[in-house]
Amino acid sequence: MKTKLKIEPETLFLLHTVVLQQSQFSLTGRNSGKSMIIELFEILSKKCIAYSTNANGKKRDLELRFHLAEKLLELTKTKLSDRSLGIYENNKLEIFKNELHQKLI
């Protein structure tokens, strides 16, 4: 089962940063969680590189398998509670989290 989202480029790069930070801090824990974070990082990296080669400002399609979408939702929730980002970034993450939650229901 897959979920398909249309996200803005700013949100895409923000999610890439969130997953990158989480991958650096996930040295302990279950191997399945680490594997999902690495897979998310690879998917988001490819999307960011593809956008960088053709930066037109349009929304991008992000298609994730269900378990990866749930992991991304979990990561955004933990990052929102972290409060290390600014107001604009928190709002972007909150909007994305709400859209992703609607798709997963």
Side-chain angles (χ1 to χ4, degrees), residues 22-55:
Q22 187 61 35
S23 68
Q24 293 172 348
F25 294 119
S26 66
L27 299 176
T28 60
R30 296 186 343 223
N31 286 337
S32 61
K34 291 180 203 175
S35 175
M36 286 189 283
I37 290 173
I38 290 170
E39 194 170 349
L40 278 171
F41 179 74
E42 290 174 355
I43 292 169
L44 292 174
S45 294
K46 288 177 185 176
K47 290 287 183 182
C48 288
I49 290 170
Y51 179 77
S52 296
T53 58
N54 184 17

Side-chain angles (χ1 to χ4, degrees), residues 19-100:
V19 172
L20 175 64
Q21 290 173 353
Q22 187 61 35
S23 68
Q24 293 172 348
F25 294 119
S26 66
L27 299 176
T28 60
R30 296 186 343 223
N31 286 337
S32 61
K34 291 180 203 175
S35 175
M36 286 189 283
I37 290 173
I38 290 170
E39 194 170 349
L40 278 171
F41 179 74
E42 290 174 355
I43 292 169
L44 292 174
S45 294
K46 288 177 185 176
K47 290 287 183 182
C48 288
I49 290 170
Y51 179 77
S52 296
T53 58
N54 184 17
N56 56 8
K58 294 181 181 178
K59 290 186 176 184
R60 298 289 174 162
D61 290 333
L62 181 65
E63 190 171 335
L64 297 172
R65 284 179 266 152
F66 190 75
H67 68 282
L68 292 176
E70 280 189 339
K71 186 66 174 179
L72 188 58
L73 181 65
E74 176 187 326
L75 292 176
T76 55
K77 284 181 181 179
T78 58
K79 192 60 177 179
L80 282 172
S81 64
D82 187 15
R83 299 289 181 208
S84 64
L85 298 173
I87 295 171
Y88 181 75
E89 289 86 5
N90 279 333
N91 285 340
K92 285 285 192 186
L93 279 181
E94 187 71 36
I95 291 168
F96 174 77
K97 180 185 70 94
N98 291 338
E99 289 174 9
L100 182 58

Side-chain angles (χ1 to χ4, degrees), residues 3-31:
T3 58
K4 191 171 188 177
L5 296 167
K6 286 189 138 315
I7 61 173
E8 296 176 356
E10 293 173 340
T11 309
L12 176 67
F13 284 98
L14 183 60
L15 289 173
H16 185 259
T17 305
V18 167
V19 172
L20 175 64
Q21 290 173 353
Q22 187 61 35
S23 68
Q24 293 172 348
F25 294 119
S26 66
L27 299 176
T28 60
R30 296 186 343 223
N31 286 337

